[in-house]
Amino acid sequence: RSPEEAAAYVRTLQALLRSVGASDGNMEQGSLRCDVNVSVNRAGEPFGTRCEIKNLNSIKAVQVAITSEVYRHIDLIERGLPVAQETRGFDEERAETFKLRSKEDAPDYRYMPDPNLPPVLITEAHVDKVRQAMPELPTALSTRLQNDYGLTERQAEVLMSVDSGVNIGYDGEVAPPGAVPYFEEVAWGRDPKVVVNWITQELLAQLSRLDEPFSANPIPSSALGELIDLLQAGKITGTSAKTLIRHIFNSPPSIEPLSSMSKLVGDLGLRATSSDLQSLCEQAISLLPEEAELVRKGNEKVLMKIVGQVMKLSKGTADGKAARALLCKMLKTED
């Protein structure tokens, strides 16, 4: 009933075809194309005359073409003119449909059996065999990610869409494991919401920056899990964790797989600072005397600027919450 609903239908079909290895679903490259039939009617009245728009090559084109055609029909009807049943094309640059040919009814399609195509007979046993071998389909997978891990629909969609359509084989040969199995490995025994945030906001961001597929991810699931454990234990700050991920992506590829995040944290001097936090806070206050005085007078909004200075002095290794609490105490403000 709307361009958005049609687009959602095509996306669902794409995901289904990709999940079973039937097609990469790439509309721009011709693996999948879409014809849409459009008609309009006033509420409570019969459906109007239908027009078909042929060979649309993207989901955006589907939405724009439907919108354009709907307004064309409405304009004709409001001017008292008939809508002719016809086949139309779509001009992407002008965002308009145009007439290809008219057709009066189904006989114009020349529907008839082809004597060179014998009937295809499929047994129930074969259908059952295929059903048993089917991978987890998109709708079921999305539901499971939301129910079992507490992910939002959007988070599940992002994980499932990573590298969607790449490396599709032939006749049911499913693409290699992607972001979802990786997420499930990292999430084992950990907070799934924390895990999905690090994957979608940091890992995928770095892959996108380098224009690399998920298969090029240099951080094994065990290593990311270890990094999250270090973060949760307070042995590394969020800033340092992000720095470490960027370092791994920016470093030249190594023959040896990444094995120990803890060792790398130590080698790079990224362990969370605690023993000299007092000294760092004192330095920050001395560097920002005006801001410190404003905080003493009750302007707590400025406090985060001093906390930022502490993080800068520690190169991101200081615990931001602990630094804020200590600064509040040093400057005699309410936390």
Side-chain angles (χ1 to χ4, degrees):
R1 294 294 179 266
S2 71
E4 293 76 18
E5 187 179 9
Y9 175 85
V10 177
R11 289 192 189 96
T12 302
L13 180 60
Q14 277 181 319
L16 184 62
L17 293 172
R18 288 165 174 166
S19 69
V20 300
S23 169
D24 62 16
N26 192 317
M27 296 184 70
E28 289 80 1
Q29 295 180 7
S31 302
L32 177 70
R33 290 294 168 91
C34 184
D35 299 342
V36 299
N37 290 276
V38 179
S39 68
V40 301
N41 62 286
R42 291 186 173 90
E45 294 185 2
F47 292 145
T49 302
R50 147 180 83 80
C51 290
E52 182 180 20
I53 310 170
K54 300 289 289 185
N55 207 31
L56 299 170
N57 64 1
S58 72
I59 291 177
K60 180 181 178 181
V62 168
Q63 291 184 271
V64 176
I66 292 173
T67 301
S68 170
E69 189 67 1
V70 163
Y71 280 112
R72 189 182 73 87
H73 285 212
I74 291 174
D75 178 63
L76 287 171
I77 293 169
E78 288 183 341
R79 289 191 289 135
L81 301 174
V83 175
Q85 184 175 344
E86 58 192 13
T87 301
R88 300 180 68 83
F90 177 62
D91 186 327
E92 291 191 40
E93 291 186 4
R94 301 182 62 179
E96 294 178 352
T97 65
F98 57 89
K99 180 177 178 179
L100 290 174
R101 58 185 178 273
S102 60
K103 55 188 179 188
E104 295 303 322
D105 213 334
D108 287 337
Y109 284 104
R110 304 290 192 268
Y111 288 137
M112 64 183 66
D114 188 326
N116 295 317
L117 296 177
V120 178
L121 304 178
I122 301 175
T123 65
E124 283 296 327
H126 180 72
V127 172
D128 289 338
K129 182 180 177 181
V130 171
R131 183 180 290 114
Q132 294 300 320
M134 290 274 279
E136 192 172 17
L137 299 184
T139 300
L141 177 55
S142 178
T143 300
R144 184 171 66 80
L145 289 173
Q146 293 175 64
N147 291 342
D148 292 358
Y149 294 100
L151 303 190
T152 65
E153 183 178 359
R154 175 59 182 162
Q155 288 171 330
E157 180 184 324
V158 170
L159 286 178
M160 292 168 60
S161 66
V162 175
D163 287 357
S164 60
V166 302
N167 299 324
I168 296 295
Y170 297 95
D171 293 335
E173 181 185 340
V174 182
V180 172
Y182 182 90
F183 159 76
E184 293 189 286
E185 290 172 8
V186 181
W188 181 263
R190 300 183 179 90
D191 185 339
K193 294 181 180 179
V194 172
V195 173
V196 76
N197 283 337
W198 278 95
I199 291 176
T200 57
Q201 295 178 19
E202 298 301 326
L203 208 60
L204 296 185
Q206 293 302 315
L207 287 168
S208 176
R209 177 177 66 85
L210 299 173
D211 195 25
E212 292 283 3
F214 192 79
S215 58
N217 172 25
I219 304 178
S221 58
S222 58
L224 183 63
E226 184 185 358
L227 180 63
I228 292 173
D229 291 343
L230 292 170
L231 182 64
Q232 296 288 292
K235 296 180 179 179
I236 186 172
T237 66
T239 301
S240 294
K242 294 175 183 179
T243 299
L244 183 56
I245 288 176
R246 286 194 294 269
H247 168 79
I248 294 170
F249 273 90
N250 292 333
S251 298
S254 173
I255 297 176
E256 293 295 327
L258 181 61
S259 57
S260 174
M261 277 290 196
S262 184
K263 182 179 183 303
L264 192 55
V265 165
D267 292 344
L268 296 175
L270 294 174
R271 290 197 180 280
T273 301
S274 57
S275 59
D276 57 350
L277 186 58
Q278 175 85 24
S279 174
L280 288 169
C281 289
E282 289 173 354
Q283 290 181 60
I285 291 172
S286 66
L287 290 170
L288 299 172
E290 293 181 6
E291 288 79 357
E293 187 59 32
L294 287 172
V295 174
R296 290 190 183 96
K297 292 179 179 179
N299 189 343
E300 293 189 26
K301 292 182 179 180
V302 185
L303 181 63
M304 291 313 297
K305 186 172 181 180
I306 307 177
V307 173
Q309 184 65 43
V310 172
M311 299 304 293
K312 183 178 180 181
L313 290 169
S314 69
K315 298 181 180 179
T317 61
D319 184 326
K321 291 183 179 179
R324 184 182 185 279
L326 182 55
L327 285 167
C328 284
K329 184 177 179 181
M330 294 172 68
L331 297 172
K332 297 180 182 180
T333 65
E334 293 294 329
D335 188 2

